[in-house]
Amino acid sequence: MGLFGPSWKATRCKAQLQMVVGRKRLQKNKKELANKATKKAVAEMVREGKLDNASIKVEVVLQEEALLRAFELIELYAELLLVRMSLLDKEKVCPEDLREAVASVVFAAPALGDLPELTQVRKDLTAKFTKEWVGEMVPIYLNPDLRELLTIRTPDPAVKFEKLSEIVAEHKVEWDAEAARVKLLGGAVPPPRGGDGGTGAGSVLAEPPQPAAQPQPVPVAVAQQFVPVQQPVAQVQYTYVQGLAPPPQVVLAPPTFATGVVTAPPPTTGVPPAQA
Protein backbone atom coordinates (compact mmCIF):
# COMPACT_ATOMS: atom_id res chain seq x y z
CA MET A 1 0.00 0.00 0.00
CA GLY A 2 1.00 3.60 -0.35
CA LEU A 3 0.78 6.68 1.78
CA PHE A 4 -2.78 6.04 2.96
CA GLY A 5 -2.16 2.66 4.56
CA PRO A 6 0.48 0.39 6.03
CA SER A 7 3.31 -0.55 3.72
CA TRP A 8 5.24 -3.79 3.36
CA LYS A 9 8.66 -4.02 4.97
CA ALA A 10 10.37 -7.39 4.96
CA THR A 11 12.80 -6.49 7.74
CA ARG A 12 10.02 -5.39 10.07
CA CYS A 13 7.93 -8.48 9.32
CA LYS A 14 10.94 -10.72 9.93
CA ALA A 15 11.67 -9.06 13.30
CA GLN A 16 8.04 -9.45 14.37
CA LEU A 17 8.04 -13.14 13.43
CA GLN A 18 11.17 -13.71 15.50
CA MET A 19 9.47 -12.08 18.47
CA VAL A 20 6.41 -14.29 17.92
CA VAL A 21 8.56 -17.42 18.19
CA GLY A 22 10.29 -16.23 21.36
CA ARG A 23 7.10 -15.06 23.05
CA LYS A 24 5.34 -18.26 22.13
CA ARG A 25 7.90 -20.33 24.02
CA LEU A 26 7.47 -18.16 27.12
CA GLN A 27 3.69 -18.33 26.91
CA LYS A 28 3.83 -22.09 26.42
CA ASN A 29 5.71 -22.63 29.68
CA LYS A 30 3.40 -20.26 31.50
CA LYS A 31 0.24 -21.91 30.24
CA GLU A 32 1.53 -25.41 30.93
CA LEU A 33 2.06 -24.48 34.58
CA ALA A 34 -1.38 -22.88 34.75
CA ASN A 35 -2.96 -25.92 33.15
CA LYS A 36 -1.27 -28.22 35.65
CA ALA A 37 -2.64 -26.15 38.53
CA THR A 38 -6.13 -26.20 37.01
CA LYS A 39 -6.08 -29.98 36.72
CA LYS A 40 -5.08 -30.26 40.36
CA ALA A 41 -7.98 -28.02 41.35
CA VAL A 42 -10.38 -30.18 39.34
CA ALA A 43 -9.13 -33.31 41.08
CA GLU A 44 -9.66 -31.70 44.50
CA MET A 45 -13.23 -30.78 43.56
CA VAL A 46 -13.98 -34.36 42.59
CA ARG A 47 -12.45 -35.63 45.84
CA GLU A 48 -14.72 -33.26 47.79
CA GLY A 49 -17.79 -34.41 45.85
CA LYS A 50 -18.22 -31.11 43.95
CA LEU A 51 -18.86 -32.72 40.60
CA ASP A 52 -20.76 -29.72 39.17
CA ASN A 53 -17.86 -27.36 39.89
CA ALA A 54 -15.39 -29.85 38.49
CA SER A 55 -17.37 -30.24 35.26
CA ILE A 56 -17.25 -26.46 34.74
CA LYS A 57 -13.57 -26.17 35.61
CA VAL A 58 -12.65 -28.94 33.21
CA GLU A 59 -13.78 -26.71 30.35
CA VAL A 60 -10.93 -24.36 31.24
CA VAL A 61 -8.52 -27.27 30.93
CA LEU A 62 -9.86 -28.10 27.47
CA GLN A 63 -9.52 -24.48 26.32
CA GLU A 64 -5.96 -24.19 27.60
CA GLU A 65 -4.92 -27.41 25.90
CA ALA A 66 -6.46 -26.27 22.63
CA LEU A 67 -4.59 -22.98 22.91
CA LEU A 68 -1.30 -24.77 23.49
CA ARG A 69 -1.80 -26.84 20.35
CA ALA A 70 -2.60 -23.66 18.41
CA PHE A 71 0.65 -22.15 19.66
CA GLU A 72 2.55 -25.08 18.21
CA LEU A 73 1.03 -24.55 14.78
CA ILE A 74 1.68 -20.80 14.83
CA GLU A 75 5.32 -21.39 15.77
CA LEU A 76 5.66 -23.78 12.84
CA TYR A 77 4.20 -21.26 10.38
CA ALA A 78 6.27 -18.41 11.78
CA GLU A 79 9.50 -20.36 11.35
CA LEU A 80 8.51 -21.27 7.79
CA LEU A 81 7.88 -17.62 6.90
CA LEU A 82 11.21 -16.63 8.45
CA VAL A 83 13.08 -19.15 6.30
CA ARG A 84 11.25 -18.03 3.13
CA MET A 85 11.27 -14.31 3.87
CA SER A 86 13.65 -13.46 0.99
CA LEU A 87 11.42 -15.33 -1.46
CA LEU A 88 8.31 -13.76 0.06
CA ASP A 89 9.82 -10.29 -0.40
CA LYS A 90 10.60 -10.80 -4.10
CA GLU A 91 7.33 -12.40 -5.20
CA LYS A 92 4.35 -10.21 -6.04
CA VAL A 93 1.99 -13.16 -5.73
CA CYS A 94 2.13 -15.38 -2.68
CA PRO A 95 3.85 -18.70 -3.52
CA GLU A 96 1.60 -21.74 -3.41
CA ASP A 97 3.56 -23.51 -0.66
CA LEU A 98 3.32 -20.44 1.63
CA ARG A 99 -0.39 -19.70 1.28
CA GLU A 100 -1.43 -21.95 4.16
CA ALA A 101 1.09 -20.30 6.47
CA VAL A 102 0.02 -16.78 5.45
CA ALA A 103 -3.69 -17.56 5.76
CA SER A 104 -3.28 -19.27 9.15
CA VAL A 105 -1.20 -16.45 10.65
CA VAL A 106 -3.64 -13.81 9.41
CA PHE A 107 -6.59 -15.76 10.84
CA ALA A 108 -4.98 -16.45 14.23
CA ALA A 109 -3.77 -12.92 14.96
CA PRO A 110 -7.06 -11.56 16.39
CA ALA A 111 -7.67 -14.72 18.47
CA LEU A 112 -4.22 -14.96 20.08
CA GLY A 113 -3.96 -11.91 22.27
CA ASP A 114 -1.03 -13.50 24.10
CA LEU A 115 1.03 -13.00 20.93
CA PRO A 116 0.55 -9.29 20.12
CA GLU A 117 3.31 -9.33 17.50
CA LEU A 118 1.03 -11.38 15.27
CA THR A 119 -1.13 -8.28 14.78
CA GLN A 120 1.75 -6.43 13.11
CA VAL A 121 2.62 -9.50 11.02
CA ARG A 122 -1.00 -9.60 9.85
CA LYS A 123 -0.84 -5.95 8.80
CA ASP A 124 2.41 -6.50 6.91
CA LEU A 125 1.10 -9.53 5.01
CA THR A 126 -2.14 -7.71 4.17
CA ALA A 127 -0.12 -4.80 2.81
CA LYS A 128 2.03 -7.15 0.75
CA PHE A 129 -0.77 -9.15 -0.91
CA THR A 130 -3.70 -6.66 -0.60
CA LYS A 131 -6.68 -6.88 1.68
CA GLU A 132 -8.91 -8.31 -1.05
CA TRP A 133 -6.57 -11.23 -1.74
CA VAL A 134 -6.21 -12.03 1.94
CA GLY A 135 -9.98 -11.96 2.42
CA GLU A 136 -10.46 -14.44 -0.43
CA MET A 137 -7.56 -16.79 0.33
CA VAL A 138 -7.95 -17.19 4.10
CA PRO A 139 -11.13 -19.35 3.92
CA ILE A 140 -9.50 -21.50 1.23
CA TYR A 141 -6.00 -22.12 2.61
CA LEU A 142 -6.61 -21.88 6.37
CA ASN A 143 -5.53 -24.97 8.30
CA PRO A 144 -8.82 -26.61 9.43
CA ASP A 145 -7.18 -27.88 12.64
CA LEU A 146 -6.21 -24.34 13.59
CA ARG A 147 -9.73 -23.13 12.90
CA GLU A 148 -11.12 -25.85 15.17
CA LEU A 149 -8.67 -25.08 17.97
CA LEU A 150 -9.42 -21.35 17.97
CA THR A 151 -13.20 -21.68 17.68
CA ILE A 152 -14.85 -21.15 21.05
CA ARG A 153 -17.84 -23.42 21.63
CA THR A 154 -19.39 -25.47 24.39
CA PRO A 155 -17.47 -28.75 24.60
CA ASP A 156 -19.29 -32.00 24.07
CA PRO A 157 -20.37 -33.69 27.36
CA ALA A 158 -18.65 -36.91 26.33
CA VAL A 159 -15.38 -35.01 25.80
CA LYS A 160 -15.73 -33.37 29.21
CA PHE A 161 -16.31 -36.71 30.92
CA GLU A 162 -13.32 -38.24 29.15
CA LYS A 163 -11.03 -35.40 30.22
CA LEU A 164 -12.43 -35.51 33.77
CA SER A 165 -11.74 -39.25 33.95
CA GLU A 166 -8.20 -38.64 32.74
CA ILE A 167 -7.57 -36.01 35.43
CA VAL A 168 -9.03 -38.22 38.17
CA ALA A 169 -6.87 -41.15 37.11
CA GLU A 170 -3.78 -38.94 36.94
CA HIS A 171 -4.27 -37.71 40.51
CA LYS A 172 -5.50 -41.10 41.81
CA VAL A 173 -8.81 -39.86 43.14
CA GLU A 174 -11.53 -42.34 44.10
CA TRP A 175 -14.93 -41.50 42.65
CA ASP A 176 -18.14 -43.04 41.36
CA ALA A 177 -17.45 -43.03 37.65
CA GLU A 178 -20.83 -44.43 36.64
CA ALA A 179 -22.77 -41.85 38.64
CA ALA A 180 -20.63 -39.09 37.15
CA ARG A 181 -21.21 -40.44 33.67
CA VAL A 182 -24.99 -40.39 34.14
CA LYS A 183 -24.90 -36.87 35.53
CA LEU A 184 -22.58 -35.35 32.95
CA LEU A 185 -24.16 -37.06 29.97
CA GLY A 186 -27.59 -35.68 30.70
CA GLY A 187 -29.07 -38.63 32.58
CA ALA A 188 -28.18 -41.20 29.93
CA VAL A 189 -28.05 -44.69 31.39
CA PRO A 190 -24.55 -46.16 31.06
CA PRO A 191 -24.23 -49.47 29.24
CA PRO A 192 -24.35 -52.52 31.56
CA ARG A 193 -21.09 -54.16 32.52
CA GLY A 194 -20.93 -57.84 33.37
CA GLY A 195 -19.27 -58.84 36.65
CA ASP A 196 -18.81 -55.36 38.11
CA GLY A 197 -17.94 -56.90 41.46
CA GLY A 198 -20.31 -54.65 43.43
CA THR A 199 -18.98 -51.25 42.39
CA GLY A 200 -22.24 -49.62 43.37
CA ALA A 201 -23.31 -49.03 39.80
CA GLY A 202 -26.15 -51.55 40.14
CA SER A 203 -26.68 -54.69 38.19
CA VAL A 204 -28.81 -54.72 35.10
CA LEU A 205 -30.54 -57.98 34.33
CA ALA A 206 -30.74 -58.70 30.69
CA GLU A 207 -32.74 -61.40 29.07
CA PRO A 208 -30.65 -64.19 27.65
CA PRO A 209 -30.34 -64.07 23.90
CA GLN A 210 -32.95 -66.10 22.13
CA PRO A 211 -31.74 -68.64 19.59
CA ALA A 212 -32.25 -67.65 16.03
CA ALA A 213 -35.22 -69.21 14.29
CA GLN A 214 -34.22 -72.13 12.18
CA PRO A 215 -35.54 -72.15 8.62
CA GLN A 216 -38.35 -74.64 8.09
CA PRO A 217 -37.76 -77.26 5.41
CA VAL A 218 -39.70 -76.69 2.24
CA PRO A 219 -41.90 -79.68 1.37
CA VAL A 220 -40.84 -81.37 -1.82
CA ALA A 221 -43.31 -83.35 -3.86
CA VAL A 222 -42.20 -86.95 -4.23
CA ALA A 223 -43.34 -88.86 -7.29
CA GLN A 224 -45.25 -91.97 -6.37
CA GLN A 225 -43.73 -95.14 -7.70
CA PHE A 226 -46.10 -97.38 -9.63
CA VAL A 227 -46.10 -100.90 -8.28
CA PRO A 228 -47.85 -103.39 -10.55
CA VAL A 229 -50.32 -105.74 -8.87
CA GLN A 230 -50.25 -109.33 -9.95
CA GLN A 231 -53.60 -110.64 -11.13
CA PRO A 232 -54.54 -114.30 -10.59
CA VAL A 233 -53.85 -116.52 -13.56
CA ALA A 234 -57.02 -117.59 -15.32
CA GLN A 235 -57.76 -121.30 -15.17
CA VAL A 236 -58.89 -123.27 -18.25
CA GLN A 237 -61.44 -125.95 -17.47
CA TYR A 238 -62.18 -128.94 -19.72
CA THR A 239 -65.23 -131.21 -19.53
CA TYR A 240 -64.84 -134.86 -20.76
CA VAL A 241 -67.84 -136.91 -21.73
CA GLN A 242 -67.32 -140.55 -22.23
CA GLY A 243 -67.54 -141.42 -25.85
CA LEU A 244 -67.63 -137.80 -26.95
CA ALA A 245 -64.92 -135.37 -26.77
CA PRO A 246 -66.01 -131.81 -27.56
CA PRO A 247 -63.53 -129.49 -29.13
CA PRO A 248 -61.35 -127.70 -26.60
CA GLN A 249 -62.52 -124.30 -25.47
CA VAL A 250 -59.84 -121.70 -25.12
CA VAL A 251 -60.52 -118.88 -22.67
CA LEU A 252 -58.34 -115.83 -23.07
CA ALA A 253 -57.10 -114.36 -19.85
CA PRO A 254 -56.65 -110.60 -19.44
CA PRO A 255 -53.10 -109.30 -19.61
CA THR A 256 -51.29 -109.47 -16.31
CA PHE A 257 -47.89 -108.56 -14.96
CA ALA A 258 -47.31 -112.06 -13.60
CA THR A 259 -44.47 -114.08 -14.98
CA GLY A 260 -44.76 -117.72 -16.13
CA VAL A 261 -46.33 -119.69 -19.00
CA VAL A 262 -49.69 -121.47 -18.89
CA THR A 263 -49.46 -124.81 -20.66
CA ALA A 264 -52.72 -126.27 -21.97
CA PRO A 265 -53.18 -130.08 -22.35
CA PRO A 266 -52.74 -131.44 -25.85
CA PRO A 267 -55.88 -131.72 -27.86
CA THR A 268 -57.61 -135.08 -27.83
CA THR A 269 -58.37 -137.15 -30.92
CA GLY A 270 -61.83 -138.16 -29.78
CA VAL A 271 -60.71 -141.46 -28.23
CA PRO A 272 -61.36 -141.60 -24.52
CA PRO A 273 -58.49 -142.55 -22.37
CA ALA A 274 -58.08 -146.18 -21.53
CA GLN A 275 -59.64 -147.40 -18.33
CA ALA A 276 -57.21 -148.40 -15.82
Side-chain angles (χ1 to χ4, degrees):
M1 292 186 180
L3 299 176
F4 301 98
S7 59
W8 162 255
K9 291 183 179 180
T11 54
R12 181 180 58 196
C13 185
K14 184 176 181 178
Q16 294 296 323
L17 287 172
Q18 290 174 344
M19 294 180 66
V20 166
V21 174
R23 188 181 294 274
K24 174 264 170 186
R25 294 172 181 173
L26 293 177
Q27 290 294 330
K28 179 184 177 182
N29 295 335
K30 180 179 178 180
K31 288 190 175 299
E32 284 179 348
L33 293 176
N35 193 28
K36 185 177 181 180
T38 305
K39 289 182 177 180
K40 185 177 181 180
V42 170
E44 290 296 329
M45 293 177 184
V46 174
R47 182 179 287 109
E48 296 172 0
K50 301 177 180 179
L51 188 60
D52 293 335
N53 296 341
S55 64
I56 296 175
K57 198 69 173 179
V58 78
E59 294 185 16
V60 179
V61 176
L62 292 172
Q63 292 177 1
E64 291 177 348
E65 291 181 349
L67 197 60
L68 287 172
R69 291 195 294 270
F71 278 178
E72 296 296 334
L73 292 175
I74 291 301
E75 182 183 15
L76 178 64
Y77 291 137
E79 291 178 347
L80 177 60
L81 293 176
L82 283 172
V83 173
R84 304 285 183 87
M85 184 57 63
S86 57
L87 176 64
L88 198 66
D89 187 28
K90 295 178 182 180
E91 297 291 336
K92 294 182 179 181
V93 179
C94 182
E96 184 71 24
D97 58 343
L98 294 179
R99 291 184 179 183
E100 181 180 332
V102 172
S104 299
V105 168
V106 170
F107 174 82
L112 297 179
D114 294 328
L115 303 176
E117 293 80 8
L118 277 181
T119 302
Q120 183 60 47
V121 174
R122 183 173 186 264
K123 292 179 181 179
D124 289 338
L125 294 175
T126 303
K128 171 67 175 177
F129 300 112
T130 73
K131 184 178 181 180
E132 292 75 13
W133 182 90
V134 170
E136 294 177 358
M137 292 299 104
V138 166
I140 299 175
Y141 292 98
L142 173 62
N143 187 332
D145 293 336
L146 184 63
R147 181 197 297 273
E148 183 68 21
L149 292 173
L150 295 180
T151 300
I152 299 177
R153 62 169 60 94
T154 303
D156 187 84
V159 176
K160 292 173 58 176
F161 177 76
E162 182 180 358
K163 178 56 65 175
L164 188 61
S165 301
E166 179 183 332
I167 295 174
V168 169
E170 180 181 354
H171 292 80
K172 300 179 180 180
V173 177
E174 295 182 0
W175 69 320
D176 192 343
E178 296 300 332
R181 183 196 296 272
V182 172
K183 188 171 186 178
L184 294 180
L185 298 184
V189 179
R193 297 186 304 173
D196 56 358
T199 57
S203 60
V204 179
L205 298 180
E207 295 182 357
Q210 299 296 332
Q214 299 296 332
Q216 298 296 330
V218 179
V220 180
V222 180
Q224 296 182 355
Q225 183 178 3
F226 179 76
V227 180
V229 180
Q230 296 183 354
Q231 299 292 338
V233 180
Q235 303 293 331
V236 181
Q237 298 179 357
Y238 297 93
T239 303
Y240 297 94
V241 179
Q242 187 175 5
L244 179 62
Q249 298 181 357
V250 180
V251 181
L252 299 178
T256 62
F257 293 92
T259 59
V261 179
V262 178
T263 305
T268 60
T269 58
V271 180
Q275 298 294 331

